[in-house]
Amino acid sequence: MASPLTLIMPIIPGTDLQTVAATLAQYQPQLDAALTGIGTVHYARVLVLDRSVANLQPGGGTDSNVFAVITEYDGSFDKYIGDFVSQVGAVFDALLQYVVGGAALIPVANNVQDFSNFITLNDASQHEPNTGLFQAYDFTVQKILADA
Amino acid sequence: MSTDIDYADVQGTILRGYRVDMARHFILSITDAAGARAFIGQMVSGAPGVPQITTAARWTEKPECFVNISFTAAGLAELGLTTAQLGKFDAAFQRGATADYSAETVGDIGESAPAKWIGGMDDGTRVHVVLNLWVEEEAEVLEKVTAKLRAAFAGCMRELSAHDARALPDNQVHFGYRDNISQPTVQGAPPRKHPIPDDQPVVATGEFLLGYPNQSGGITSVSPAELSKNSSYAAFRILEQDVAGFESFLATYAAEAKVDPEMLAAKVCGRWRNGNPLALQPTEPGTPLPMSQVNDFTYVNATDAAADDTLGLKCPIGSHLRRNNPRNAGVVGTDSAHHRIVRRAMPYGPAYDPAHPDTTPRGLIGYFINASLTNQFEFLTGQWNLASDFVKSAAAPSGSPAGNAYYNVSGQDAFLGVNDPSNPTGPNYSSFTLAGPGAKGTGNTTIAGFSRMITTRGGAYCFLPSITGLKYLSTLVPTT
């Protein structure tokens, strides 16, 4: 059974969205390779949302944006935090430079426990009423790949 | 950052195997913090009559004894570290070995539960110091140095218990295997006197010493800075081995699997009892390989199908060897180099005599050393030894009809697993897969329902300060 991660991170007011988008594009291949390497992540996406707009869609404003990192993964996130940091630490370092309070966590490889605490605090899926997850199948990523 | 290590600032057991035959481990509780700080200072300086802490510095003449010291989180608190300072230490270290979460993580449940631990270790709040003494082979020296140590700590620490260890002939452990073959090669560590080459990457210094880059490129540190660089962590463990149970397991389940008992012994371990690895000697033990070969192998070889063992047909993926060091085989997360530990353990108890079976306690006692108890000792013990879903999907070079590694592992480590035979649907049910060629595990033989082989009798999560750190502790002025 997979588990959800819905990491919500406020972006520092005044941050230019085009700069953020360029960073996301720059690190996307590295993120894809890292998630492939980890081998427990079913799906993952990074969104930018605007809290100042009723439907949250980003529209160019610079003061009320948030990152939303959304994934479904196998196993224990806590137990694999060290591996996660090893694989995607550089990507998170790039994102956290735009996040309120993120600078204190960079580089995450030096601050694994603080980064783990940060994720727990900001993972909406660990807070009621957001803990539910529908899963159409009960297979791990590796079983799916083995049967492919 | 340079990985040049000041060996004289590192407690010796972290980087050096002492190559001795006897050890005594004292479990101590601090009764007088000021006296304990003074005792630490005396051990660092080698005050008259007090055995000096052994560092990793090269010696010209082998000492008659080796002494190291470690502290639990409760011990560091007793010495005067603040809650805020301890809050920056490894999360597992902070909670300690007897905490419910720690025990459940590493499988210390049932008869292995901390509540049943011996020697005062059942109450983690009372265990403050683990003091270690190693001597070559002279009981006389062991007793002489013991007397000195006891005289030195008598006024400031209460001895909860002392635990002796003694090497068995030919580096054997009680289950009959030749041990002390595989250790990580640590970047910057002093070269082994008798090198055992292997085909594995050198592991970053920061995996074993705080203050150096680790495999993830990060640097683990604590506060105050004096306790960071050149310090380390260790899980101290007393692991009782049920030798009669193991021999009974081999006899019963070898018949069930239709293999020779010695073949089953090799399959669950990954090595024959003479130390030869199945990866190199898959069908028979043979004569012991030279040290230049006995550890020089990998499991995946994309260019040489004959040398490849992706599927664990030679050395099972669930064997003790592959679970604890998958080498270049695919695992979810990262790879084996991120979860290595240095083993400094030695047998205790009398050798088992199959002609006269007995239940005298015997097993293995010592340190499992790493820079992160959470990411190394607990991960290794709790994930790779207690689960079977860590293996990546992988086909052999010959193609998918031969099977997939994902299907060729089950249950838990035969030695370190909980291996509860009472609940076939539970997470700790014992099971071991002998892989055979065939899609989706159709060629496999799986044995199940066997009992736990190793019971934890004691333990503590310890911090091994650098010499700089020990000096800091010896002069610490606690805040009030």
Side-chain angles (χ1 to χ4, degrees):
Chain A
M1 181 62 74
S3 300
L5 171 75
T6 313
L7 182 59
I8 307 295
M9 303 182 290
I11 296 175
I12 297 168
T15 303
D16 177 33
L17 270 192
Q18 288 193 342
T19 304
V20 171
T23 301
L24 287 173
Q26 177 189 345
Y27 280 90
Q28 193 65 49
Q30 191 173 338
L31 179 60
D32 292 351
L35 296 179
T36 300
I38 290 172
T40 58
V41 178
H42 289 256
Y43 300 97
R45 54 207 182 276
V46 181
L47 310 179
V48 175
L49 303 172
D50 187 343
R51 287 177 292 171
S52 69
V53 183
N55 67 358
L56 300 180
Q57 300 309 306
T62 61
D63 291 340
S64 305
N65 293 312
V66 297
F67 282 124
V69 179
I70 303 172
T71 75
E72 288 76 34
Y73 62 93
D74 302 321
S76 163
F77 190 86
D78 289 343
K79 301 278 198 292
Y80 274 83
I81 183 66
D83 286 9
F84 183 77
V85 163
S86 184
Q87 293 277 19
V88 299
V91 177
F92 266 90
D93 287 347
L95 291 182
L96 286 168
Q97 66 179 313
Y98 304 121
V99 170
V100 176
L105 300 171
I106 300 173
V108 293
N110 284 4
N111 302 288
V112 176
Q113 189 58 50
D114 289 342
F115 180 55
S116 178
N117 295 341
F118 173 85
I119 290 175
T120 300
L121 192 65
N122 294 288
D123 177 11
S125 291
Q126 295 189 45
H127 298 270
E128 295 294 346
N130 305 320
T131 54
L133 175 71
F134 167 76
Q135 190 171 351
Y137 54 85
D138 188 15
F139 303 137
T140 65
V141 170
Q142 293 308 313
K143 177 172 171 53
I144 292 168
L145 293 175
D147 291 344
Chain B
M1 174 176 284
S2 167
T3 53
D4 288 344
I5 303 169
D6 178 3
Y7 299 148
D9 195 44
V10 180
Q11 292 208 56
T13 193
I14 301 169
L15 296 179
R16 288 189 187 275
Y18 292 144
R19 302 177 62 80
V20 292
D21 285 347
M22 300 178 77
R24 179 166 288 165
H25 304 284
F26 301 89
I27 310 301
L28 305 173
S29 192
I30 295 171
T31 54
D32 170 9
R37 289 191 289 270
F39 169 65
I40 294 166
Q42 291 167 355
M43 291 193 73
V44 171
S45 65
V50 181
Q52 190 169 20
I53 294 290
T54 308
T55 74
R58 185 175 181 178
W59 55 76
T60 49
E61 188 175 334
K62 193 168 184 178
E64 69 168 359
C65 71
F66 302 84
V67 179
N68 287 128
I69 191 169
S70 67
F71 304 88
T72 65
L76 292 181
E78 283 291 324
L79 290 172
L81 257 64
T82 66
T83 302
Q85 288 172 325
L86 285 169
K88 292 297 183 185
F89 280 66
D90 180 87
F93 174 75
Q94 290 182 56
R95 83 175 97 87
T98 56
D100 289 347
Y101 186 89
S102 304
E104 288 167 13
T105 295
V106 302
D108 285 342
I109 59 177
E111 288 300 308
S112 290
K116 299 190 174 187
W117 286 358
I118 62 174
M121 284 174 279
D122 57 317
D123 181 357
T125 63
R126 292 195 306 158
V127 176
H128 298 149
V129 176
V130 179
L131 178 62
N132 322 100
L133 167 63
W134 296 266
V135 305
E136 185 88 54
E137 57 182 357
E138 300 290 335
E140 193 177 300
V141 177
L142 184 73
E143 297 305 332
K144 180 184 74 176
V145 182
T146 291
K148 288 181 180 178
L149 287 170
R150 281 180 170 148
F153 66 64
C156 59
M157 301 186 200
R158 188 156 61 91
E159 184 177 321
L160 299 178
S161 55
H163 305 270
D164 287 0
R166 174 144 208 160
L168 295 173
D170 301 324
N171 273 324
Q172 284 194 339
V173 292
H174 285 292
F175 285 150
Y177 298 93
R178 181 177 168 207
D179 195 24
N180 286 329
I181 294 173
S182 179
Q183 293 277 15
T185 302
V186 183
Q187 185 173 7
R192 295 176 73 165
K193 189 173 181 183
H194 301 285
I196 305 176
D198 60 32
D199 191 11
Q200 300 176 82
V202 173
V203 182
T205 314
E207 294 292 313
F208 302 98
L209 289 176
L210 277 60
Y212 297 86
N214 58 29
Q215 285 294 122
S216 300
I219 297 175
T220 302
S221 58
V222 297
S223 176
E226 290 88 341
L227 290 175
S228 264
K229 192 169 186 179
N230 293 328
S231 298
S232 191
Y233 294 99
F236 177 77
R237 306 279 282 170
I238 301 176
L239 304 172
E240 185 174 322
Q241 295 170 291
D242 178 7
V243 184
F246 179 59
E247 294 298 331
S248 172
F249 157 80
L250 292 178
T252 301
Y253 285 90
E256 182 177 317
K258 297 182 174 58
V259 297
D260 183 86
E262 285 307 308
M263 173 61 90
L264 182 57
K267 290 286 187 182
V268 295
C269 178
R271 291 186 189 274
W272 300 91
R273 294 209 239 201
N274 68 5
N276 285 349
L278 281 170
L280 301 178
Q281 294 274 145
T283 58
E284 58 183 15
T287 55
L289 291 167
M291 297 313 280
S292 60
Q293 296 177 28
V294 74
N295 201 36
D296 194 11
F297 59 89
T298 55
Y299 298 116
V300 177
N301 191 324
T303 59
D304 182 356
D308 179 79
D309 194 24
T310 297
L311 301 181
L313 304 178
K314 290 183 276 191
C315 181
I317 296 171
S319 66
H320 183 70
L321 236 64
R322 286 185 77 152
R323 282 181 178 275
N324 286 279
N325 182 8
R327 300 191 181 217
N328 67 339
V331 290
V332 299
T334 49
D335 56 44
S336 62
H338 286 76
H339 303 287
R340 299 296 303 276
I341 54 173
V342 167
R343 298 175 298 129
R344 303 290 188 214
M346 194 185 288
Y348 71 89
Y352 179 78
D353 180 357
H356 302 91
D358 65 10
T359 56
T360 304
R362 53 174 61 84
L364 207 59
I365 182 171
Y367 282 134
F368 297 86
I369 298 171
N370 46 222
S372 171
L373 286 162
T374 302
N375 194 48
Q376 290 164 268
F377 173 74
E378 281 201 343
F379 180 94
L380 195 62
T381 309
Q383 295 299 304
W384 289 351
N385 280 285
L386 298 186
S388 58
D389 58 359
F390 62 91
V391 175
K392 270 189 172 173
S393 166
S398 58
S400 57
N404 189 293
Y406 171 84
Y407 285 101
N408 291 355
V409 57
S410 64
Q412 303 179 331
D413 186 87
F415 299 134
L416 295 177
V418 174
N419 291 322
D420 176 7
S422 68
N423 183 5
T425 60
N428 294 316
Y429 186 61
S430 51
S431 171
F432 182 77
T433 294
L434 298 141
K440 296 189 177 183
T442 51
N444 294 348
T445 299
T446 299
I447 55 177
F450 48 88
S451 298
R452 186 169 195 152
M453 316 269 185
I454 291 178
T455 303
T456 308
R457 294 302 186 199
Y461 284 170
C462 303
F463 181 71
L464 284 151
S466 65
I467 303 303
T468 300
L470 289 170
K471 289 177 180 173
Y472 171 84
L473 292 173
S474 72
T475 58
L476 179 62
V477 179
T479 55
T480 52

